[in-house]
Amino acid sequence: MGMNLKNSVLLIIDVQNDFLPGGALAVNQGDEVVSVINALQEEFDFIVATQDFHPADHGSFAANHPDKNPGEVIELNGLTQVLWPIHCVQGSEGAEFHEELNPIKWKAIFQKGKNPGVDSYSGFFDNARRGDTGLGDFLQNEGIMNVFVTGLAQDYCVKFTALDSVSLGFNTYLITDATRAVNLNPKDGDLALEEMKNAGVKLIESTAILD
Ligand code: VGL
Ligand code: ZN
């Protein structure tokens, strides 16, 4: 192992069927992260997953706004909101984790996006930074100091989770080959990497841990 992983969490963001090829909000090559994450899981004692988990009437779904299409931007209760296809609805197959992702060592699953009035990209807080999933306190109470972020999507939930992790004082890494971008605009993934790097997120490849 190339790194000391004491007091570290492997954070797996939203590796759910709707974000994988064939899903409602498919991330290109999103399925390629699964084998990398499974290999990483062998190196960590402490693993936590997040799950995008929307009610059917969620305000981020274009279908819940007359004459709106996915990709359009609206104001939702005072916040700028990109509209998405219906995805990760509570109880649906699309909300389930990829069947090959191994959940055996997971300490907890934090669900987000349950409030229909506000989206929740970060695994820590909703986009208004009012609702708190409890993930930050959970990690702090467990003595976690280092957060290694993986999963989907690089330019949305992964980015906002990593930025919040830094802001909460965690030493934060993004494992770049364990994430993929939606790329609504073709450069979004690269811009997200830049933004995370500038905020103090350390970009590493899985080989830094697996070698
Ligand atoms: C996500 C868009 C909408 C994500 C979730 O997991 O990155 N993106 N909901
Ligand atoms: Zn969502």
Side-chain angles (χ1 to χ4, degrees), residues 107-201:
K107 298 277 192 240
I109 297 169
F110 285 84
Q111 297 177 328
K112 60 191 182 59
K114 300 208 250 189
N115 178 346
V118 60
D119 213 352
S120 192
Y121 294 142
S122 161
F124 293 97
F125 304 106
D126 68 28
N127 293 2
R129 248 181 173 269
R130 277 194 286 269
D132 182 335
T133 63
L135 174 60
D137 284 344
F138 178 73
L139 297 180
Q140 261 145 18
N141 289 337
E142 296 284 348
I144 297 295
M145 294 163 60
N146 310 304
V147 174
F148 291 79
V149 184
T150 65
L152 305 171
Q154 180 173 312
D155 39 356
Y156 285 93
C157 291
V158 165
K159 179 180 89 170
F160 286 99
T161 300
L163 294 176
D164 280 345
S165 175
V166 170
S167 80
L168 289 171
F170 296 108
N171 182 28
T172 306
Y173 297 84
L174 174 71
I175 306 179
T176 55
D177 54 327
T179 183
R180 293 289 186 283
V182 179
N183 282 332
L184 230 43
N185 301 300
K187 291 256 161 60
D188 285 354
D190 293 336
L191 289 170
L193 288 182
E194 204 50 39
E195 204 177 326
M196 287 186 268
K197 203 169 85 176
N198 290 338
V201 178

Side-chain angles (χ1 to χ4, degrees), residues 30-105:
D31 51 335
E32 292 177 9
V33 305
V34 174
S35 60
V36 179
I37 292 172
N38 279 339
L40 287 165
Q41 294 204 79
E42 296 186 22
E43 308 297 332
F44 285 80
D45 294 326
F46 204 94
I47 305 173
V48 171
T50 66
Q51 186 176 30
D52 209 38
F53 211 58
H54 298 303
D57 65 347
H58 199 266
S60 74
F61 298 165
N64 291 329
H65 302 273
D67 305 318
K68 293 291 177 195
N69 293 306
E72 289 186 58
V73 176
I74 64 162
E75 198 180 291
L76 183 65
N77 298 315
L79 294 183
T80 301
Q81 176 67 52
V82 178
L83 293 176
W84 301 108
I86 295 168
H87 66 277
C88 297
V89 173
Q90 298 171 7
S92 72
E93 183 63 29
E96 295 305 312
F97 296 101
H98 187 288
E99 65 175 4
E100 285 165 25
L101 187 66
N102 184 1
I104 194 129
K105 289 165 76 180

